[in-house]
Amino acid sequence: VGSQSWEAGVEQLGHARAINREKLDDKVLRAQLMDSTSLRGLVFEGYQEMLRCRREQPAFHPQGGQSILQLDRRVFALVRSAPQGRQRILCLHNITPEPVELDMDLAAAELDSKSRLENLLGDVVVKINKLTLMAVLDAYESAWLEIIPFSSAS
């Protein structure tokens, strides 16, 4: 829940695993979760937003389809599909502490040049040209992009 390394615990308990074993006071934790300026509050709000978005999207249905994309070793990428194919979402997750510039082949991302992408989570700027999709993901940033086919794009 947005905890940082508990170095005092390593010293107090005498073993390295204590770094992530801090015991939190319930009242203090609840206050921090409700404080949108605290690290724990920011992390909690981010998780709540992801869960809300996930609940609302048919492509995240447990019986929906999923295909893992091999785009860049620094990015976990997949396309989720609703059970009846009504919706597809391109999910990009930078798993590194550094920004990543993606320049991916549209076919590898299961897109075509007439598709449109709508940000469902995050504010990643994505550009599509004739053959490629370009995006920049900040450190540990995630983007969920609904794929809007040309026929239903406005």
Side-chain angles (χ1 to χ4, degrees), residues 5-154:
S5 299
W6 186 45
E7 296 184 25
V10 175
E11 211 169 292
Q12 289 172 16
L13 301 175
H15 55 87
R17 289 183 59 92
I19 195 100
N20 60 1
R21 301 286 194 268
E22 181 178 11
K23 303 295 183 232
L24 303 173
D25 178 88
D26 182 60
K27 288 181 184 175
V28 172
L29 175 60
R30 287 176 186 273
Q32 290 173 339
L33 291 175
M34 295 302 118
D35 177 1
S36 63
T37 63
S38 73
L39 176 61
R40 287 194 170 103
L42 291 167
V43 169
F44 185 58
E45 283 179 12
Y47 280 135
Q48 286 182 310
E49 175 63 17
M50 288 178 86
L51 291 171
R52 181 200 57 75
C53 182
R54 184 170 179 232
R55 244 186 335 265
E56 293 174 355
Q57 306 308 318
F60 289 120
H61 188 281
Q63 294 176 345
Q66 173 174 293
S67 59
I68 307 294
L69 307 177
Q70 303 294 324
L71 303 177
D72 184 302
R73 65 180 184 76
R74 301 166 297 171
V75 175
F76 177 64
L78 62 139
V79 173
R80 290 285 310 187
S81 303
Q84 277 74 41
R86 297 181 318 268
Q87 182 190 48
R88 292 185 326 129
I89 298 175
L90 172 62
C91 306
L92 303 171
H93 305 277
N94 179 357
I95 59 172
T96 71
E98 303 294 329
V100 173
E101 288 186 33
L102 289 173
D103 189 357
M104 58 190 120
D105 178 65
L106 288 179
E110 300 183 11
L111 299 167
D112 64 55
S113 62
K114 295 181 180 179
S115 297
R116 185 172 57 87
L117 297 172
E118 181 179 320
N119 276 317
L120 300 175
L121 179 72
D123 55 1
V124 172
V125 176
V126 178
K127 295 178 183 170
I128 296 177
N129 69 25
K130 290 182 182 176
L131 301 173
T132 62
L133 179 145
M134 292 164 279
V136 177
L137 293 169
D138 286 335
Y140 301 113
E141 185 173 25
S142 293
W144 293 350
L145 306 162
E146 182 175 8
I147 301 167
I148 314 286
F150 177 69
S151 60
S152 62
S154 10

